[in-house]
Each structure stands twice: as structure tokens, then as C-alpha cells.
């Protein structure tokens, strides 16, 4: 029945064999495992039917059934994990006898994968290879001692530039696992984080860095940051965030100014805050909010009256063609290099002016500029449009593509800045910016303000103590589902990514303001991430449950920088909402006394 044509019959057999202790049952389980193919249910049922006492018999049958052919990697990994978790030395010795067997000093990819899986299993059990050797009987200890040869072979293959990428990836599974050669292995992993290396190998190297416990890892990865593409940077941050000591090293880099806070998106900033110790949380909040270039802010303030001036779209079109069309396309004019202007989440005049004059305030990682230096001495710059195993493609203004072979690239460095240059204001007037903004807004879909009984947007002025009270009845309401619930006087049904509320405030002084929410949130919807924006900065946080939607609480949630004078404060979800984000009655901004 273990080879019956009906998959339901095979599944039932796999589930039943666990009740039997006969050696024939172990052979049948082995057959079901080897023939499972893509049938995950059959594979899982057969694995769950094994016991600590039968796993060795199943292993013997699997290896016998494989003959001289390599056994299936997934199956060997699963059996090794199971034997290790049960502490079955006999089963481990049976399997390792095959795994550590080389052919003229060479190992196959499945052998590296199997040992890597065993070491991963030990990590999950908080055990080391050395402790397993000490605790094992003589036969297993001898097999484990032979792993040194496999480690050396893996190190050699992983660093071989002419070997196939898949082979090198398999070999990397054991690099960094040999404590006797830990520093050498870290050097090898480090050497793979270069522009000349296939991106899949870079990814595997980052994964193995994450397996290490060396304090040296964070410094090595931060030193490689600027030479990696957007996808690898995200994976590098995953590694840094995985251990407290590495996160603290990232915070130190933020503190020293070696790492640009703009490289962290809203979710990463929130993750850094959530995982920080209580003592560091206040400092991290200040570091994350201090992302405004004072010089650029002065330029924005110099042209701030452009927001209030009426603009002429036809004149703005001429300015767009001359200044922006090399990298943006709008109204059928220009090139699609930079962000799609129609897709901007905030198309207010204030936001557009800030984006034009301070392009580095908030930059998606894919729009960071890179500079490539070739071995022939040529220099190319642009967005990192794509990567393959053999080449990288830079996208320059006017959509010009430059394809460079990895073997020809001497160095690839991120500028850490937007491909859009600063200094666009040179030779322009406030009226020019008013015209340019009018042209952009006339060619993109603008959100329509929603109207509700009791909602009357107004300019909010400060109380006697300098505080600003942002009530739900005083804001502009936008988005698919957001609404003012008149009976509760709160902003509710905050469920869509385009939902946002905008308050116009007149701040009596520039500086930091303590932010307090008056809100309710049901337990089932807690932990959605909100974002509060001003022209001077942004803060994010997770919505905390108040038990249910009928119980309101007031609490401080952070500090937000404001400039002096009129400005817009925007509240929105920082990522896709699960359920409903919040019922918000008001936000209070109170000047922080330094």
C-alpha cells in the first residue's frame, strides 16, 4: 500500500505506520519519504510517524534505497534534524558515515547541505558541534571529527571563482561553522560582499554572517553597506537586527553620523525602537527624528511663500521640461527614471516643495544613486536598475542604461543620496516653484477631501502654554474608508492605506514637541503602525490596545519637530492595515522645554 496509486491511501498508510514497530514498517516509511516528491502531506505524515527508536532503521533503508546515487537533500536534512533533536547517536552515526565520506577529497552539494542543516539544528537547540562531540559515544565522535575535512573543502569551494554558483552556495552552508577557523571564515564571507560577486552568493554570505556570534560581524557589514544593492541592503539589516550587540553597533553608527538615518524606512525605524532597551529608546527616538538637513530646511523656508502663491501651470510645464524631464515623466513629457509623480502619497504643495528642495529627506532605497568605477578607469553613475550573476545595470538621466560586467567593475559605491540633485533652487524664484507645483498638481490625481457633519477644518493656533490641540473635528479627511464618527467625535474606520488626516497648525516657535494621543483600539487590531509627519520630521509607532473600541486612553507617543509658523501635520498608516488602525479623538503637541 505504500506504493499505491491513490495519494489518499498513501497518506493514510504514512499516518498509520507510526503505530507499528516492525522493521518492515520502517522500510515502508523510507519508501514513502523517498517517493513523496511534491506531496508535502505524505512527506510530513511519514516524518511524524517516525520515533526515536525507528529513525535509525528508516535511515538505513533510505541510504540502501539510494544506492550509489546522492540521496535527496531535503530528505537527508530532515532526517539529520530529527535524529539530532532526539539525541539518537546511532542514527546520527549511520547518516554521518555517508555524509562525511569524500571521493578523492571532494564532496557533493548534498553533503554540505546536510551538515549545514545539522549545525542549524544544533543552533536551535543551543548546542555546539564541540558539545555534541564531547557528549557522543566513540563512533559518533569519530565521525564528527572528520567534519574538519569537509569544512576545509567547503571553504575552498566557496572561494573558487570558477565554480558554479549553486555549488558555491551549498559550500557556504558550512563556512563560519568551524570555530577553529572562525576569523578565516569571516574573511571569506566578507570577500563575497563585493560588486564582482553574484548577488545570490552575496545573499548566501549574508545568511552565514547571521549564523555567527562574533561581535566583529556588525563592523564588517556596516563597512560593506555602501557597495551593496537595495535588496542586499535589506538582508544586511535583517542580520544586524538579529542580535542585540549588532543592533547597538548600528545605533552607535547613527550616533557617530557614519550611518544615515534616511537609509532606514518607517518599519525599520519602528523595529529599532521596539527592540531597544529602555535606556536607549529615548536616544534612538531623538536620533531617528533628527533627519532634517538644517541647510536644506533654510532653503525650504526661504521659498515657503511659494505654497501660498497662485501658480501658472503653463509656465510650470516649461520649467518641468527644462529641470525635471530628464528623470521624471509627466503629462507625456520626460523619462521614467525617478519616482512616478502620480503615485506620490502626499501631493500637497508643502510636500512637493519639500521633495523638490530637499530630495534626501525621504528616499526609497531603489532611488539611491550609485557610482561604479571600472578596472579600465571609467566612472559611471545612476540608479542600480538591475543585477544578474554577471552584470549590473545603472540607469542614468534620460533613461540611458549602462550595463557593466561584474568582472570589469573595480568598485561600486552607494552615494547614500537620492539621484535627484540638491540645489535646484539656483536661479529660481518663489513664483517659479509655485508654477512648477501647479503644473505637477494639474497632471496627477489629487485626493478629494471628504466631508462629514461636525467636521470643519481650520487653522489651529497655540494655547497660552504653546501647546497645539489637533482634534478630529478640525482636520481634513482623505482616503477610502476613514471617517469622522460624529457620535464619538473620533476618526474611525482607519483601514485603508490611502487614509490620512491633515491638520493645519500655526506654531508659535520652532523646536521639539511632545506628542500625546487620545485614542481607542480593540485588542484584535493592536500593533498596526502609524506615522505622524511634519515638514521637519516624522515619527512612527505601534497602536497599543485599550482593550476595546469603547475605552479611550491618553498617553505620550514620542516627539515631533516643528518649524515656526503655518504648516501641515499628517497622520497616516505606515504600512498596510490589519483590520482597523485606530479610533483617534485628538493629538496634543506640547513644546519640550530643553
Amino acid at each position: 500500500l505504500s506504493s499505491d496509486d491513490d495519494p489518499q491511501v498513501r497518506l493514510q498508510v504514512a499516518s498509520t505506520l507510526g503505530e507499528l514497530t516492525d522493521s518492515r514498517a520502517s522500510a515502508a516509511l523510507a519508501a514513502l519519504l523517498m517517493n513523496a516528491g511534491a506531496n508535502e502531506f505524505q512527506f510530513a505524515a511519514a516524518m511524524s510517524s517516525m520515533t526515536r527508536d525507528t529513525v535509525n532503521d528508516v535511515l538505513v533503508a533510505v541510504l540502501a534505497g539510494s544506492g550509489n546515487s546522492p540521496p535527496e537533500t531535503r530528505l537527508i536534512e530532515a532526517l539529520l534534524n530529527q535524529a539530532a533533536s532526539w539525541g539518537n547517536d546511532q542514527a546520527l552515526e549511520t547518516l554521518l558515515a555517508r555524509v562525511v565520506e569524500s571521493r578523492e577529497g571532494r564532496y557533493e552539494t548534498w553533503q554540505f547541505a546536510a551538515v549545514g542543516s545539522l549545525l542549524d539544528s544544533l543552533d536551535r537547540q543551543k548546542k555546539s558541534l564541540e558539545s555534541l562531540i564531547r557528549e557522543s559515544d566513540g563512533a559518533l565522535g569519530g565521525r564528527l571529527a572528520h567534519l574538519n575535512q569537509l569544512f576545509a573543502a567547503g571553504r575552498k569551494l566557496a572561494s573558487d571563482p570558477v565554480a558554479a554558483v549553486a555549488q558555491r552556495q551549498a559550500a557556504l552552508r558550512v563556512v563560519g561553522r568551524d570555530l577553529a577557523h572562525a576569523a578565516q571564515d569571516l574573511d571569506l564571507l566578507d570577500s563575497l560582499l563585493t560588486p564582482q560577486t553574484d548577488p545570490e552568493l552575496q545573499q548566501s554570505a549574508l545568511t552565514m554572517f547571521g549564523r555567527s556570534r562574533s561581535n566583529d560581524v556588525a563592523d564588517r557589514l556596516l563597512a560593506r553597506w555602501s557597495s551593496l544593492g537595495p535588496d542586499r541592503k535589506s538582508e544586511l539589516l535583517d542580520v544586524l537586527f538579529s542580535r542585540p550587540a549588532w543592533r547597538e553597533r548600528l545605533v552607535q553608527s547613527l550616533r557617530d553620523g557614519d550611518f544615515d538615518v534616511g537609509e532606514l524606512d518607517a518599519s525599520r525605524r519602528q523595529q529599532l525602537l521596539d527592540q531597544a532597551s529602555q535606556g536607549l529608546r529615548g536616544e534612538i527616538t531623538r536620533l531617528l527624528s533628527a533627519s532634517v538637513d538644517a541647510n536644506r530646511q533654510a532653503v525650504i523656508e526661504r521659498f515657503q511663500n511659494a505654497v501660498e502663491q497662485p501658480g501658472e501651470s503653463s509656465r510650470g510645464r516649461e520649467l518641468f521640461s527644462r529641470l525635471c524631464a530628464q528623470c521624471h515623466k509627466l503629462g507625456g513629457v520626460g523619462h521614467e527614471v525617478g519616482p512616478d509623480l502620480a503615485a506620490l502619497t502626499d501631493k500637497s504643495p508643502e510636500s512637493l516643495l519639500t521633495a523638490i528642495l530637499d530630495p534626501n529627506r525621504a528616499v526609497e532605497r531603489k532611488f539611491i544613486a550609485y557610482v561604479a568605477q571600472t578596472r579600465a578607469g571609467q566612472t559611471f553613475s545612476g540608479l542600480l536598475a538591475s543585477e544578474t550573476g554577471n552584470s549590473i545595470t545603472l540607469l542614468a538621466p534620460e533613461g540611458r542604461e549602462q550595463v557593466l560586467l561584474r568582472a570589469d567593475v573595480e568598485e561600486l559605491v552607494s552615494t547614500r543620496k537620492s539621484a535627484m540633485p540638491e540645489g535646484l533652487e539656483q536661479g529660481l524664484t518663489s513664483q517659479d516653484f509655485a508654477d512648477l507645483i501647479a503644473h505637477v498638481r494639474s497632471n496627477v490625481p489629487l485626493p478629494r477631501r471628504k466631508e462629514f457633519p461636525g467636521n470643519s477644518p481650520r487653522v489651529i493656533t497655540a494655547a497660552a502654554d504653546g501647546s497645539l490641540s489637533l482634534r478630529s473635528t478640525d482636520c481634513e479627511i482623505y482616503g477610502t474608508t476613514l471617517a469622522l464618527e460624529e457620535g464619538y467625535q473620533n476618526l474611525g474606520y482607519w483601514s485603508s492605506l490611502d487614509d490620512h488626516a491633515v491638520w493645519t497648525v500655526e506654531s508659535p516657535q520652532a523646536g521639539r514637541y511632545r506628542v500625546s494621543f487620545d485614542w481607542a483600539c480593540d485588542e484584535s487590531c493592536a500593533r498596526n503602525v502609524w506615522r505622524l509627519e511634519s515638514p521637519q520630521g516624522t515619527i512612527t509607532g505601534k497602536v497599543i490596545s485599550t482593550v476595546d473600541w469603547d475605552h479611550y486612553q491618553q498617553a505620550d507617543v514620542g516627539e515631533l519637530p516643528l518649524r515656526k509658523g503655518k504648516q501641515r501635520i499628517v497622520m497616516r498608516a505606515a504600512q498596510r492595515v490589519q483590520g482597523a488602525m485606530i479610533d483617534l479623538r485628538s493629538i496634543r503637541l506640547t513644546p519640550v522645554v530643553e
Side-chain angles (χ1 to χ4, degrees):
L1 292 177
S2 61
S3 58
D4 195 276
D5 291 337
D6 189 337
Q8 292 297 325
V9 172
R10 297 198 304 274
L11 180 62
Q12 184 60 51
V13 171
S15 302
T16 304
L17 286 172
E19 304 297 324
L20 306 176
T21 57
D22 190 288
S23 60
R24 290 173 296 178
S26 298
L29 280 175
L32 286 164
L33 288 168
M34 288 189 290
N35 299 325
N39 191 330
E40 297 293 338
F41 296 104
Q42 177 178 319
F43 189 87
M47 287 296 299
S48 64
S49 287
M50 282 193 309
T51 67
R52 188 181 189 281
D53 296 327
T54 61
V55 62
N56 188 62
D57 291 338
V58 173
L59 270 171
V60 170
V62 166
L63 294 175
S66 300
N68 293 324
S69 301
E72 183 189 0
T73 300
R74 177 186 68 157
L75 176 54
I76 293 300
E77 288 188 47
L79 292 172
L80 261 176
N81 285 337
Q82 197 68 72
S85 65
W86 279 329
N88 189 316
D89 285 3
Q90 182 185 14
L92 282 174
E93 198 278 329
T94 298
L95 191 50
L96 284 172
R98 181 74 177 272
V99 169
V100 302
E101 181 182 3
S102 68
R103 293 185 178 181
E104 299 179 356
R106 293 194 299 271
Y107 295 85
E108 298 185 45
T109 55
W110 73 268
Q111 293 171 292
F112 293 122
V115 173
S117 184
L118 169 63
L119 297 173
D120 290 344
S121 177
L122 292 176
D123 281 345
R124 289 191 292 271
Q125 299 174 59
K126 297 184 178 180
K127 292 182 179 180
S128 67
L129 181 60
E130 288 69 22
S131 66
L132 182 62
I133 292 174
R134 287 195 304 270
E135 297 167 4
S136 303
D137 59 30
L140 177 57
R143 297 293 184 192
L144 291 169
H146 280 87
L147 287 178
N148 290 333
Q149 298 173 17
L150 183 138
F151 287 147
R155 199 175 294 118
K156 181 178 179 180
L157 178 57
S159 59
D160 184 356
V162 300
V165 169
Q167 291 179 318
R168 297 177 71 185
Q169 283 184 290
L172 279 170
R173 291 285 301 274
V174 300
V175 173
R177 320 305 285 270
D178 179 6
L179 294 182
H181 297 84
Q184 180 182 351
D185 283 355
L186 288 180
D187 287 343
L188 170 55
L189 295 175
D190 199 350
S191 71
L192 295 176
L193 299 182
T194 66
Q196 297 80 25
T197 304
D198 184 288
E200 292 186 7
L201 280 175
Q202 292 180 359
Q203 183 180 33
S204 296
L206 286 169
T207 298
M208 297 315 299
F209 263 125
R211 300 275 196 271
S212 173
R213 286 180 168 78
S214 170
N215 289 332
D216 188 33
V217 166
D219 286 329
R220 289 175 179 268
L221 294 184
L222 288 169
R224 291 291 186 181
W225 175 263
S226 62
S227 65
L228 296 177
D231 290 341
R232 299 294 84 80
K233 283 184 174 181
S234 180
E235 292 156 5
L236 185 152
L237 287 175
D238 286 338
V239 174
L240 288 181
F241 275 69
S242 67
R243 299 194 189 278
W246 299 347
R247 289 196 302 272
E248 290 181 11
R249 182 64 187 87
L250 175 60
V251 172
Q252 182 63 49
S253 290
L254 288 169
R255 186 185 296 125
D256 295 341
D258 297 330
F259 192 92
D260 188 352
V261 66
E263 299 269 23
L264 300 175
D265 59 24
S267 61
R268 292 289 188 186
R269 296 182 187 202
Q270 185 58 46
Q271 186 181 358
L272 192 59
L273 281 170
D274 289 344
Q275 296 177 341
S277 64
Q278 191 65 39
L280 275 178
R281 194 162 294 148
E283 181 186 8
I284 291 174
T285 299
R286 289 190 293 274
L287 288 171
L288 295 181
S289 61
S291 58
V292 176
D293 184 324
N295 294 328
R296 287 287 93 198
Q297 184 59 37
V299 173
I300 292 171
E301 291 174 0
R302 177 151 53 95
F303 290 95
Q304 191 61 42
N305 56 349
V307 171
E308 307 292 341
Q309 290 178 239
E312 176 56 56
S313 179
S314 60
R315 290 198 299 265
R317 180 183 178 88
E318 295 175 7
L319 286 166
F320 181 88
S321 298
R322 177 162 59 90
L323 301 173
C324 313
Q326 286 185 321
C327 294
H328 297 283
K329 189 171 184 177
L330 190 68
V333 176
H335 301 273
E336 295 177 346
V337 177
D340 179 2
L341 299 180
L344 295 176
T345 56
D346 188 350
K347 306 179 183 75
S348 66
E350 295 89 345
S351 178
L352 290 174
L353 183 67
T354 299
I356 293 168
L357 294 177
D358 190 3
N360 293 301
R361 182 170 299 192
V363 191
E364 283 188 72
R365 200 168 288 141
K366 63 182 178 180
F367 295 118
I368 294 290
Y370 282 77
V371 176
Q373 185 81 30
T374 70
R375 298 185 189 279
Q378 293 176 293
T379 300
F380 300 93
S381 62
L383 303 180
L384 189 57
S386 65
E387 295 185 86
T388 69
N390 297 319
S391 67
I392 62 173
T393 301
L394 295 178
L395 187 61
E398 299 180 355
R400 299 189 306 273
E401 288 190 351
Q402 182 66 50
V403 180
L404 302 173
L405 294 177
R406 288 187 179 275
D408 294 338
V409 176
E410 179 74 29
E411 184 180 49
L412 179 69
V413 179
S414 162
T415 65
R416 301 188 180 185
K417 291 183 177 292
S418 168
M420 180 174 171
E422 295 178 345
L424 193 66
E425 71 278 2
Q426 300 298 324
L428 299 182
T429 66
S430 293
Q431 185 60 57
D432 290 330
F433 284 111
D435 295 340
L436 183 57
I437 290 170
H439 173 64
V440 172
R441 285 171 57 84
S442 68
N443 282 275
V444 298
L446 298 177
R448 178 175 297 180
R449 184 174 73 82
K450 302 167 77 171
E451 298 183 7
F452 297 93
N455 175 234
S456 300
R458 66 181 182 88
V459 177
I460 298 166
T461 56
D465 62 355
S467 65
L468 298 158
S469 182
L470 284 56
R471 297 182 301 176
S472 61
T473 53
D474 299 330
C475 67
E476 300 171 29
I477 301 172
Y478 299 93
T480 304
T481 56
L482 185 60
L484 176 67
E485 297 185 80
E486 190 175 11
Y488 291 91
Q489 295 288 285
N490 70 260
L491 295 171
Y493 300 99
W494 211 315
S495 303
S496 304
L497 200 54
D498 65 343
D499 288 343
H500 61 286
V502 181
W503 291 267
T504 301
V505 304
E506 185 80 38
S507 172
Q509 64 185 52
R512 307 191 62 76
Y513 283 69
R514 186 174 67 254
V515 181
S516 304
F517 282 179
D518 182 0
W519 87 102
C521 181
D522 190 81
E523 176 64 33
S524 64
C525 294
R527 311 297 286 173
N528 279 303
V529 181
W530 54 265
R531 183 166 77 227
L532 190 66
E533 307 164 353
S534 79
Q536 295 288 90
T538 300
I539 60 171
T540 62
K542 289 186 178 179
V543 181
I544 306 302
S545 168
T546 62
V547 180
D548 56 39
W549 295 115
D550 294 321
H551 288 80
Y552 283 79
Q553 291 183 8
Q554 297 80 42
D556 295 342
V557 297
E559 294 180 1
L560 184 71
L562 300 184
R563 67 167 184 249
K564 182 179 180 180
K566 187 181 292 186
Q567 58 207 288
R568 289 159 58 94
I569 309 297
V570 183
M571 171 82 169
R572 66 174 84 245
Q575 57 194 40
R576 190 170 300 280
V577 177
Q578 302 298 320
M581 184 173 74
I582 193 172
D583 276 0
L584 183 68
R585 286 201 297 209
S586 66
I587 300 173
R588 186 177 180 84
L589 305 177
T590 306
V592 175
V593 178
E594 301 293 345

